[in-house]
Every structure is written in C-alpha cells, then in structure tokens.
Amino acid sequence: MTDGTTDGLNKAAVFICHCSGNISEHVDINIVKKTLKAEGFSVYDYEYLCSSQGQALIKKKISEGHVDRVVIGSCTPSKHGTLFKKCIQETGLNRAGLEIANLREQCAWVHPDRAGATEKALSLLKAKLKRLENIEPLEDIKVDIAQQVLVIGGGIAGITAALNLADNGVPTFLVEKDSSIGGQMAKIGKIFSPDKLAEECAMCSLSPLMNEVAAHPRITLLTWTEVEKLSGSAGNFTVKLKKKPRYVKDNCIACGKCSRVCPVSVEDEFNCGYMDKKAISLRFSQSVPKVYFIDPDSCLQLKGENCGKCAEACKTGAIDFSQKEEIIELNVGAVVVATGFEEYDVSQKPQYGYGIFENVLTQMELARVLGINGPTKGELLRISDFSKASSDPAPSTCDSRCESSSDHPFEVETPERIVMIQCVGSRDEKEGGNRYCSRYCCMAALKHASLIKKRYPKTEITICYIDMRAFGFYENYYRAVQETGVNFVRGRPAEVIEKPDKSLVVRVEDTLSQKIKEIPADMVVLSAAMVPSPGTKKIASVLNLSQDESGFIKERHSKLKPVDCSLDGIFVCGTAQSPKDVTCLLYTSDAADE
Ligand code: SF4
Ligand code: SF4
C-alpha cells in the first residue's frame, strides 16, 4: 500500500516482539505464529523489534514488496508508537497502514495464565488486522502553534520551569492560585546542604528567583488566579483562567499602614495558624508581587459593614473595593503542571494525638516555629507555651530574617526533649496510609534535629525511624547529624500519651534491642507523608490527566518520557508528579521545559 489505495489484507504482515521475555515468557509465540500463518498471514518474530535490527527486519519485508500493511505486537504504542511509525514511513508506506497491538501491558503483564495470554494475544492481533482491512491514507497537515507556554503553580518547581523557558526565549505565563509565588519552600525556613554539611536559608535561594520572575520581560505573572478550563490540543490550547480581585491595586508600596489599622484578625495560614494576620495582609514579607490583598471573607467593608480604615490609612490610594473577578483566556502551545504537594493529614493516625495534644506538630509546623519570620521569631518553644501574636510582616527584611536572634521573647523554658516520628502516613499499609516512601522526610527530620542541636545543644532529640533513607551524598549529612548526639531508635511508635503538664510520652518498641521504650518528650514532631495538593488534584481533573493510585499526576513513561503527561503538550514537574525533595524536583523542572 505505498499509495494507500489497496484494499484487503492479502499483503498484511504481523511482526511480534519477544521484548526480552516480557512478552515471550507469557505468550506462546509459536502458537500465535502458527495460527495466523494458517489464516494466510505472513508472521515474523524478533527479540527486540525496537532495536535497529528489529526495525531493519520490518523495513526489509516491506521493501521486498510483499507487505503493504503492518501489525506490530509489542509494548504499548505510547512507548514506541512514534518509532514504529517512522520506521514504516521510511519505506514509503503510509502510516495508516500500521497498527500496534499492546501484547505487553495489556496482555503478558496482566495474564499470568500462559494459555489465556496466548489466546488474548491472538485476539488483539486479529482485531488490529481487521482494522487494517479498509484504510484511507493519512495526510500530514500543518497547523500554526502558539509559541507561548503556561506554567501552573508558582512554587520552586514552577518558578524554575518558567525561568528556564523564558530564558530560552519562550514567552511564559506563570499562574499561581495564591496571592504570592513561593509555594511551600517559602515556609520551610532552611534547606540542608549535603556538601557543606550545613543548613542554608531557603528564602535566600528562593527570593532572588521570585524577583527574577517578576522582572523577567518574557514572563507574565498571574497570581490569585486559577485554571478553570482547558481545551484544544498540543500546540494550540485555549485556557480559561479566573483571576480573583485583590482589592488592592499595583501601586501598593507594601508599607503595611493598612494592616496596622485593620480591626479584623484572621488565622495566618502561612504560619500554620500559630499566629494571626489582618484581613488586609501580605502572604509573607518577601511576597511576590509585593502587593497587599484583602480577604473578602473577613473584611468588614466587603461583607457590607462600614469600615474602610485601610483606605483611609493608605497614602497611595491603592485600596479599591470595586475590583471584580476577571476571566482571562490564553492561547498556549504547551502547559507545564507544577501544582505541588501538601502534608498528609496526620490526624488520620489518632494514636499520635495530633489535633488533640497541643505539643504534637508536623515537620512543616516545626519549620514555621523555627523560622525567624515565624510565630516565635525562631525561638524553639512548646506550642502550649506561646500565645498567638499578631503579625505584620512588612518591616521584616532579609537581613533581619537571617540573623540568629539570641533574645528570648517569651519567659518560658526551651523544650529539653523532642521526639520525631518518621513515616507518618508513608510506608504504611494500614487504613489511611500510603505505601510509598515520601523521600523528603528523613532529611527534613535530620535538618531540624541539626538546627535545634546547634542552637540548643542541651535539648535531647530522638528520631524514631523504620529505616533512615539518606541516599547518595545525603549520607554525609546523616553522619554529621549523628555526631551531634541525636538519638536514633529503630521502631514505629505505637502511641503518644499526654500528661497533665502537657508533656508527652512516646511508646515504641526498639526493634534492635527488642525492648519497649517509653520516651518522655516536651514536643513530638510527626514526619508527615507528602500527598498531592488540592491544586494538583483539581488540575488533573480540569486537564483530564492520568493520576496514579495516590492522586499524583502520572508521567507517560517513568524512564523514557518522565515529564510528559498522558495528553500531548502537557508536562508535569516537581511534587505534583511524586514525592521529591527540593534537589530532585529541580531536575524535573529542568526536564519539563526542555
Ligand atoms: S497602606 Fe496602601 S500602600 Fe501601604 S501596604 Fe496598604 S495598600 Fe499598600
Ligand atoms: S475595610 Fe476591611 S481590610 Fe480594610 S481595614 Fe476594614 S476590615 Fe480591614
């Protein structure tokens, strides 16, 4: 069928790949060949059809003039479909003359019974032959593609992807649902450095990148904006965005005068609810864009009461209560999804008392407690020992943030005993748990243990672990933390008990000494699993992307197409795809914009 006009299957051939035993160990290829040959088809098999020798076999049979339609029985077409299409097109055959039967994922790997797998392989191949009976040649058409890209999610993964795209000349829209970019990394305070065996300021790495995004001539930053709908196909997507009103115009100079006079306090999500902020606020002091926003659910004026104190205090006239929601439509050629993660809801493990005992917290919450711009200005305190304080982030500067303060703002004792519990919700087959390892939490626990030991050497820290997972050079950091005197107990604690003075006891079987231990603690820190953020779940549904069983967005092939989503033209990076630490997620951001 070199011109695509010949009907019928008299010159159809079937090529079956053994896939190095992946197919041939489950499917009896001899029976398949014999059966199809008996029906008059030419049938060939080869160890690896995707190899150059395998492709040469296909080309040879077509070039000899005996074959004008081809069925290939191999792995999924999403893996080598393009390669086989190219292979037959190089012989002059139209690509309409190719069908691929998935004998691996849809047959060999799912049917342990050899006879059943062989029967199914035959059915799949015959069905593909049937499809080739009457075919029309397919023509290549040229379409204009939109030369701009949408990146969804303004955490470190999305920021890196957007900057790389823009630096390579691609006009890029970066959409963030929050009022500022920065994501979870803005909250974590410090990042560990396995080569320097030290902890560095996360904001000092993140903040310059955030500012670069805001200043980049090829990046359009849309914060307070969510993706509502996507239509079209690779090269030509139409995206509908909903931009919420900030009620503050871009001429805001972030002086904070409005916030100081605002009479309404609300829980500060950025600080995990440990402190309050005002109804008009910045998400955090280094927010980008550095423009205040009003929470419409809390603002008196926007709820119909008379207030307007912020507007009176604002000397630049930036307050604008008349702002309305905007719908924005974009035409983009590709989409990068970087919608990130959230911490597992550790209250699903009631034996640890989270949400019941005040001094049980998560690693992310501990990061805020230790953050110099956090509720205790970096001072380590039991949660039961600090009361909520109003925050006005505007006066804070990078320098003041990074300085280690020795002034103790509270007249209470520093916690002397901290127990960290690893794998809460990770590597957990029980109800509500996740089977996977979250990859970041062993290192997060080590980082916090190291930070606390350096600042409070007398504080005793015990990490209860199943296995400490410190891969590659992270092992050096693990060893360095061990040398600071942190205790390690191998075992998953059974429960946490609270005493009347709010101190805690962790009951655990030390599986090395095979002894039950009761470890007293002033604070218990749970290393919560990493789970897909609500934004990741929403975007997977809006864009109709495949997800894995835990809700992370699935790549097309973990080795060959590690950042391609199930739909052409859509890519995924960072923790929207799977649990990762900062270093690993940056690799995927780089890959997604290539
Ligand atoms: S007073 Fe006006 S300029 Fe100052 S932070 Fe508030 S809105 Fe911005
Ligand atoms: S109008 Fe709203 S945001 Fe402004 S001061 Fe009053 S309550 Fe606060």
Side-chain angles (χ1 to χ4, degrees):
M1 196 207 63
T2 49
D3 61 0
T5 54
T6 312
D7 285 346
L9 293 175
N10 53 333
K11 287 168 87 178
V14 177
F15 294 84
I16 303 169
C17 182
H18 290 228
C19 195
S20 186
N22 275 310
I23 294 172
S24 56
E25 282 171 12
H26 302 269
V27 172
D28 190 329
I29 289 178
N30 283 333
I31 290 184
V32 174
K33 282 178 73 177
K34 222 165 124 188
T35 310
L36 291 174
K37 276 185 178 171
E39 294 183 19
F41 297 106
S42 305
V43 191
Y44 309 93
D45 63 310
Y46 196 75
E47 194 65 28
Y48 309 100
L49 278 178
C50 56
S51 66
S52 55
Q53 294 89 337
Q55 292 178 63
L57 170 71
I58 298 168
K59 285 180 185 169
K60 181 167 176 278
K61 294 299 167 193
I62 297 170
S63 304
E64 284 171 356
H66 308 303
V67 174
D68 68 357
R69 293 168 200 210
V70 172
V71 171
I72 293 177
S74 62
C75 56
T76 166
S78 67
K79 186 172 179 197
H80 287 317
T82 310
L83 180 139
F84 288 132
K85 245 181 238 166
K86 198 163 160 261
C87 167
I88 69 149
Q89 280 177 316
E90 280 170 6
T91 67
L93 214 61
N94 187 277
R95 62 193 154 87
L98 171 70
E99 285 290 335
I100 298 174
N102 184 350
L103 299 192
R104 196 177 71 175
E105 287 84 349
Q106 288 179 355
C107 184
W109 281 357
V110 287
H111 294 292
D113 152 38
R114 191 168 165 84
T118 304
E119 194 187 330
K120 181 163 177 189
L122 265 168
S123 300
L124 290 171
L125 291 166
K126 284 183 186 177
K128 295 295 179 185
L129 283 162
K130 191 81 186 156
R131 279 181 68 120
L132 287 178
E133 258 182 24
N134 293 300
I135 51 172
E136 295 289 333
L138 294 170
E139 281 174 31
D140 290 335
I141 51 166
K142 285 199 172 166
V143 289
D144 290 333
I145 61 164
Q147 302 278 357
Q148 44 194 18
V149 171
L150 171 70
V151 177
I152 308 170
I156 183 64
I159 287 172
T160 310
L163 283 172
N164 286 344
L165 284 161
D167 286 345
N168 283 297
V170 181
T172 302
F173 295 91
L174 177 58
V175 169
E176 165 57 48
K177 68 172 174 27
D178 245 313
S179 60
S180 168
I181 53 173
Q184 301 276 18
M185 191 171 166
K187 287 181 168 184
I188 62 175
K190 300 273 182 181
I191 45 176
F192 73 94
S193 163
D195 48 344
K196 296 179 200 134
L197 303 181
E199 297 79 33
E200 298 173 33
C201 170
M203 192 53 83
C204 293
S205 302
L206 180 64
S207 191
L209 297 177
M210 291 164 60
N211 292 326
E212 214 182 308
V213 163
H216 205 296
R218 277 188 287 275
I219 296 180
T220 305
L221 177 58
L222 296 161
T223 51
W224 225 213
T225 302
E226 291 194 53
V227 176
E228 290 291 296
K229 201 172 161 201
L230 175 117
S231 55
S233 55
N236 243 319
F237 291 111
T238 302
V239 190
K240 188 172 147 196
L241 306 172
K242 187 170 81 184
K243 187 168 170 51
K244 293 178 279 182
R246 288 180 95 94
Y247 304 107
V248 180
K249 293 184 284 189
D250 289 349
N251 62 336
C252 167
I253 53 167
C255 63
K257 285 180 182 156
C258 52
S259 185
R260 284 193 276 279
V261 298
C262 175
V264 179
S265 292
V266 292
E267 202 171 79
D268 182 3
E269 158 278 325
F270 182 77
N271 280 301
C272 305
Y274 289 147
M275 58 199 290
D276 286 348
K277 61 176 187 176
K278 294 298 182 67
I280 181 164
S281 63
L282 279 181
R283 185 162 186 256
F284 52 98
S285 51
Q286 298 76 29
S287 287
V288 170
K290 205 159 183 167
V291 174
Y292 274 58
F293 70 100
I294 298 179
D295 171 5
D297 296 330
S298 316
C299 168
L300 301 175
Q301 185 81 21
L302 290 169
K303 288 200 295 184
E305 295 174 39
N306 272 340
C307 178
K309 287 191 166 68
C310 53
E312 282 165 29
C314 179
K315 299 294 174 234
T316 63
I319 311 291
D320 179 2
F321 293 114
S322 70
Q323 282 188 357
K324 296 272 178 295
E325 182 179 289
E326 276 177 67
I327 298 295
I328 300 169
E329 250 189 34
L330 300 177
N331 182 225
V332 294
V335 177
V336 178
V337 178
T339 40
F341 78 100
E342 67 173 359
E343 273 192 320
Y344 169 78
D345 173 11
V346 288
S347 64
Q348 291 186 72
K349 299 286 157 189
Q351 63 270 37
Y352 296 147
Y354 181 85
I356 305 165
F357 308 147
E358 264 183 287
N359 294 313
V360 177
L361 64 163
T362 66
Q363 291 289 358
M364 184 60 90
E365 288 165 347
L366 179 61
R368 290 317 307 140
V369 172
L370 296 175
I372 205 79
N373 58 350
T376 61
K377 300 196 167 22
E379 201 66 37
L380 180 65
L381 295 179
R382 295 197 312 172
I383 309 304
S384 58
D385 285 340
F386 63 83
S387 51
K388 288 188 171 186
S390 175
S391 73
D392 177 6
S396 173
T397 64
C398 186
D399 289 344
S400 70
R401 231 185 30 255
C402 297
E403 276 166 15
S404 180
S405 164
S406 57
D407 298 334
H408 197 315
F410 300 89
E411 290 178 2
V412 287
E413 297 292 318
T414 298
E416 289 176 352
R417 304 156 305 178
I418 295 176
V419 176
M420 297 185 182
I421 301 179
Q422 297 307 103
C423 299
V424 181
S426 304
R427 306 177 68 201
D428 179 0
E429 306 259 350
K430 296 211 175 109
E431 200 186 335
N434 298 290
R435 270 200 215 160
Y436 54 80
C437 163
S438 290
R439 288 179 68 116
Y440 84 105
C441 17
C442 284
M443 299 315 294
L446 291 173
K447 175 190 72 176
H448 285 153
S450 172
L451 279 171
I452 294 168
K453 271 289 182 192
K454 282 177 186 163
R455 178 99 190 262
Y456 309 95
K458 288 193 197 135
T459 297
E460 213 170 274
I461 300 175
T462 304
I463 298 180
C464 298
Y465 67 98
I466 306 177
D467 305 290
M468 287 306 288
R469 293 190 164 175
F471 50 90
F473 296 116
Y474 291 3
E475 185 73 16
N476 297 340
Y477 187 76
Y478 176 26
R479 283 173 189 266
V481 176
Q482 281 177 315
E483 282 163 19
T484 65
V486 172
N487 305 313
F488 292 85
V489 172
R490 187 166 180 273
R492 195 195 280 275
E495 62 178 337
V496 176
I497 300 157
E498 188 183 52
K499 291 167 73 174
D501 65 353
K502 304 261 181 210
S503 69
L504 304 157
V505 175
V506 178
R507 297 190 76 230
V508 57
E509 183 192 350
D510 182 337
T511 55
L512 295 180
S513 66
Q514 296 190 329
K515 286 196 175 123
I516 303 290
K517 290 188 169 171
E518 295 206 336
I519 310 171
D522 299 312
M523 289 169 98
V524 169
V525 185
L526 307 178
S527 294
M530 196 178 260
V531 297
S533 69
T536 293
K537 289 180 196 158
K538 182 186 166 194
I539 217 69
S541 143
V542 170
L543 307 190
N544 201 16
L545 302 175
S546 298
Q547 294 166 268
D548 67 16
E549 59 185 12
S550 309
F552 290 105
I553 293 173
K554 210 165 159 30
E555 70 285 319
R556 197 171 290 181
H557 190 283
S558 60
K559 306 265 185 314
L560 300 179
K561 297 202 169 173
V563 294
D564 294 46
C565 292
S566 48
L567 291 183
D568 283 343
I570 304 184
F571 304 89
V572 62
C573 65
T575 52
Q577 182 182 27
S578 60
K580 293 178 184 71
D581 71 354
V582 174
T583 312
C584 291
L585 73 82
L586 291 179
Y587 293 143
T588 61
S589 300
D590 285 346
D593 56 60
E594 271 172 13

